[in-house]
Amino acid sequence: SPSQESHQEGHKLQLPDSLVTCTQAPIAFFDSPRELRILRLRDPQDAWPSDQLQLLTQEAEHHSRHLRPSSGPWLWPLHDLNVSAAIMGSHLGSNDNSRRRGWWR
């Protein structure tokens, strides 16, 4: 999840215990300094892949919202639309209605 450099705005990314930073690096979006972080869930347990993806997205958005740049990229998945469709479709045929979710963007 790219964000403006935290020292520019006096803010730092405080991750909840549920998220782990796999790697991070300073990058630039044109001339705007950013930070790239690759995040994962600390303990996905037995959750469906689509539920894991939704939780990861919600947590990342909530905890990095204050670092959102005024322009340019902020958050994006590290997979393409076909992978998203496969994850979301992985349990559409399930009998467990409580696990069904809407399509993730």
Side-chain angles (χ1 to χ4, degrees):
S1 62
S3 63
Q4 289 181 338
E5 284 290 329
S6 56
H7 64 84
Q8 278 188 327
E9 297 187 16
H11 298 285
K12 293 195 180 240
L13 180 60
Q14 299 291 324
L15 292 177
D17 290 339
S18 60
L19 296 181
V20 174
T21 298
C22 298
T23 191
Q24 66 188 71
I27 61 171
F29 180 73
F30 293 95
D31 290 330
S32 178
R34 307 288 170 101
E35 182 178 85
L36 174 69
R37 286 183 184 241
I38 297 177
L39 305 175
R40 69 170 176 81
L41 290 175
R42 181 177 304 278
D43 184 15
Q45 299 178 359
D46 293 332
W48 285 89
S50 56
D51 293 337
Q52 292 175 33
L53 186 58
Q54 186 170 14
L55 177 61
L56 176 63
T57 302
Q58 288 171 349
E59 290 289 302
E61 284 180 351
H62 177 74
H63 292 282
S64 65
R65 186 174 295 134
H66 65 285
L67 297 172
R68 185 176 187 160
S70 58
S71 64
W74 174 39
L75 296 174
W76 68 86
L78 292 180
H79 51 267
D80 62 20
L81 183 58
N82 291 335
V83 173
S84 294
I87 290 171
M88 295 306 295
S90 67
H91 63 81
L92 287 177
S94 169
N95 291 329
D96 183 359
N97 290 329
S98 66
R99 297 232 185 230
R100 293 185 185 175
R101 301 262 188 218
W103 287 97
W104 187 73
R105 51 183 159 151

